[in-house]
Amino acid sequence: MAIWTTGPLQRLLAATACYGLPQNSSKSCGVLPYVHLGKVPYTKALRLQECLVRRRIDLNNTSDDERSRAGVSDLLILLEHPPTFTAGRRIKGQDEEGTRLKVLGADYVETLRGGQATFHGPGQLVGYPILDIRNYKLSVRCYVSSLEKTIIETCAKYDIKAETTEHTGVWMNGTHKIAAIGIQVQRYITSHGIALNCDTDLTWFDHIVPCGLQDKFVTSLSEQLGRGVTTEEVIPQYCNAFGGVFGRQMTKLEDVEGGKELWNEIDEVLRSS
């Protein structure tokens, strides 16, 4: 499982039984804002996540009144990246590999997420939930399982049967990965997340062994359907699936109390990083 945890959360990682909110429940337990940022360079998105995670941790250390005044606590970030190869903790420090991939015209970034090498690029919907998993009564394993379910349900809206296997991520027929998952959890706060191939140029994946799995392939919604499926088309479907799995009413960030203020903070981070 592609994860990275710090702090007292380690004991939750050992949990084997999934628990928490009923999956696909029509009953919403609250509002979860989301924001679509368009195309953002990977390093800027990384910096933004660091700032939002720190903000979320700080909120947990304040009073109920202060958290209420802040308005927004948990948040789902949706975006795309320009062509970028990322290295997880398992392959960090391999300078020759980074040099080889940069020559292809893509960025190369080493990260703290779990897993090995993967690719992000235009046409791939990337979701970075910044959540306190205790609010959803989820263990780390069940959180990853819930993310997988958001992808499976999104694919089902297109009559595509996706599934999980012994390998992390979401697959078609056990051989073609349609979405990658890699998360980081710090003091119960999540970052990183999912990458769903919509109309991604899949030839980029030819230059790596995605997630270190030999004899496996990569696919996309567009390839499966035989037509172009843009990230803009998929976002409403994914938000509906996310809200159903996590038991939240998905609402645009600017439409919730404190949302405009947080949007200004996000914009400032992206401009300055």
Side-chain angles (χ1 to χ4, degrees), residues 218-249:
V218 179
T219 189
S220 66
L221 292 173
S222 294
E223 184 176 68
Q224 292 296 315
L225 293 175
R227 68 171 180 86
V229 182
T230 66
T231 56
E232 287 79 9
E233 177 185 339
V234 175
I235 284 173
Q237 305 289 359
Y238 184 72
C239 286
N240 287 338
F242 197 97
V245 170
F246 283 86
R248 294 294 189 269
Q249 177 185 339

Side-chain angles (χ1 to χ4, degrees), residues 149-166:
K149 289 176 182 176
T150 66
I151 300 294
I152 291 171
E153 294 196 5
T154 300
C155 290
K157 295 177 185 295
Y158 291 94
D159 294 323
I160 294 174
K161 181 175 173 52
E163 62 186 2
T164 58
T165 70
E166 69 272 20

